Amino acid sequence: MLSTSYGSFPTTRLRRLRHHAKVRDLVRETVLHADRFVMPIFVKSGAGIKQPIASMPGLHQFSTDRLTEEIESLQQAGINKILLFGIPSEKDALGQVSYSKTGVVQSAMAVIKKISPDMLIIADLCFCEYTDHGHCGVLSHIDREGVARVHNDETLKLLAKQAVCLAEAGVDIVAPSGCMDGMVHTVRGALDQAGFCDLPILSYAMKYASSFYGPFREAAEGAPKAGDRATYQSDCANAREALRECALDVLEGADMLMVKPAHTYLDVIYRVKQAYPALPLAAYHVSGEYAMIKAAAANGWLDEKRAVLEVLTAIHRAGADFIITYYAKDVAGWL
Ligand code: PBG
């Protein structure tokens, strides 16, 4: 089969196209570009804060007054798309500050739009950073086995408020990440009703209950106080389930889909891309995937730059059209 369609040795020698760097450049199938990276940023309430995140070397939490230096350095590196996470000074059971005009992400957006009107701002829509219990929605109870029960439909009502509030504050894309059933439908309906029918939704369509979010929970101060997220995020053993998650989100009006984490779920990225070739697909190279490479590189066990470029190429090759990664700024400099 191979010999009839592609020829055979010795007529065909695949190494011919590997001898020279310029030929390799010419025939490379997957090419990374700074345009296809999104940098996550952690904004914290308060002033004068540039706090290093211990488990994510090289990254910081910033207060809004310290954002200028970070935004300018991103721009210089050629990164003009960011994903914002807010860390409020006060949390409550419902995460009400997430839909306040003076909330931390709302305030940060005003500052960023002033420093850099061209910066594309995506906001994560979720409650785990805003609730005192650390779950991604309204907690009905933690049962006797320690299992967290998050109220799906009560959460949706608040999610609608969060989406509209962020839209009014000038966000460019909203990204619901709480894994509530019907979240895309609810957010689309609320945005349309408020006059934001042109605001795109990037759905965290297939988000796994992953150990690789560990460092993020330090960075965003959003770890659950009790229980875990297994009752709302997906089981890492399931790949076919991604097709149901995506089918629903597409019907509900998702403009773009996402698979998260990325490096550990290349098969899922591939399946989703094959099933929905016409929908832009994002992959989130998460905090733990960043931290692993950092730790190995710090020990001299991996060449950081080569490892990162290889991993991000693999994610892109599997089918992701764009990648959310804490390495965005570094990679843009390397390319
Ligand atoms: C939830 C959210 C999480 C991440 C992004 N959005 C954490 C979680 O689900 O527990 C994780 C991202 C990362 O690990 O880099 N708002």
Side-chain angles (χ1 to χ4, degrees), residues 91 103 119 138 143 177-178 188 210 212 256 274 290 296 308 334:
K91 306 191 182 205
M119 189 60 78
V138 180
D143 69 19
S177 76
R188 185 71 274 154
S210 172
F212 292 101
M256 298 176 274
Q274 297 301 304
Y290 171 87
V308 170
W334 295 336

Side-chain angles (χ1 to χ4, degrees), residues 124 126 128-129 177 207 216-217 229 233 260 287 326:
D124 186 84
C126 195
C128 56
E129 300 117 57
S177 76
K207 178 173 172 182
F216 175 93
R217 292 178 185 172
R229 306 210 202 286
Q233 298 178 344
K260 175 186 172 189
S287 58
Y326 303 95

